[in-house]
Amino acid sequence: MPELPEVETCRRSLSRWTAGRRVVSVDLLDPRSVRQGRSDRPTAGHPEGKAALQAVVLAAAPGDIERHGKRLLWHFGARALLLHLGMTGRWSRAAPAYAKVRLRLDDGEALVFADPRLLGGIVPTEVESGRILLRQGLGPDALDAPLPALMGRRPIKVALMDQTVVAGLGNLHAAEALWRAGIDPRVPAGDVIGERHTALQKAVRDQLEGTLTMLSKDEEIEYVEDAGADNPFPLYQRAGSPCPRCGAAIAKLTQAGRSTWWCPGCQR
Ligand SMILES: [Zn+2]
């Protein structure tokens, strides 16, 4: 599932692929992927999706792409597309299965948005209102802003995954960051203060930047859930294997319905 590093990599790829180019045509292969507002419901398709998409991407050259958490805002002059990848969305230059939208460029290349589960989408909008949608309901960005104070008795892992608290972390990177910081994922969020909070902020940053560096080596993004994809992470799906730091067996527990891998030996 895409988290901040995958979305940031998508941002950089789209910028690189469209530098100096124009979009010359649009193929809307599945109208459900273009939405009138931010929504993860496939039924919320825009009734005039193709026209709305064309009105943005044909009107001006592709420009800056802003990111906040897992959302992107792609400027085309004063207009923009809000992009979100949901659970399975990705932009690519290949011709993937489940292609939903194709933007053809003036160099003959095409950018394709594919999304098997249709939880992601594209919202045609304007830069000004798009900037509101980009941040609506989200906490500070996990990569670009300081980690906010964490509060309450719920487990720290659950708090880190709450997008209204901090935007961009999901299941995998929240768990790996807690391991880096040596913090037990069950500790109440409000207890992570002082030096532990500082350590966690550094761990989150290192986790995201480390993953970005790793992803930058490939032309097309692979998600770790993809069949045959590498799993470069020390904990993810490694229950029973030795912790690379202390050698204790990695354990797995369920928190808020999601699997958490952690090390009982060195996460306190
Ligand atoms: Zn350990």
Side-chain angles (χ1 to χ4, degrees), residues 32-106:
R32 294 174 295 178
S33 285
V34 178
R35 313 268 160 83
Q36 277 181 299
R38 203 173 44 73
S39 167
D40 57 8
R41 287 178 300 118
T43 50
H46 194 306
E48 292 168 41
K50 182 165 181 179
L53 202 52
Q54 285 174 325
V56 175
V57 302
L58 302 181
D64 291 347
I65 309 177
E66 296 180 63
R67 183 190 55 74
H68 190 86
K70 305 182 207 175
R71 296 179 198 157
L72 298 174
L73 187 70
W74 193 359
H75 296 214
F76 293 78
R79 297 182 179 176
L81 298 178
L82 183 80
L83 310 178
H84 60 116
L85 303 178
M87 284 180 69
T88 55
R90 82 182 79 200
W91 282 87
S92 107
R93 287 199 298 186
Y98 302 102
K100 305 297 182 188
V101 176
R102 189 185 301 121
L103 306 180
R104 295 187 186 277
L105 303 180
D106 58 2

Side-chain angles (χ1 to χ4, degrees), residues 179 243 245-248 263 265-266:
W179 177 78
C243 166
R245 185 166 52 206
C246 76
C263 175
C266 63

Side-chain angles (χ1 to χ4, degrees), residues 140-142 145-150 160 166 169 192 197 200-201 204-205:
D141 186 75
L147 186 68
L150 301 160
L160 284 180
V166 52
L169 291 175
V192 179
H197 186 273
L200 181 57
Q201 171 167 288
V204 165
R205 201 64 54 91

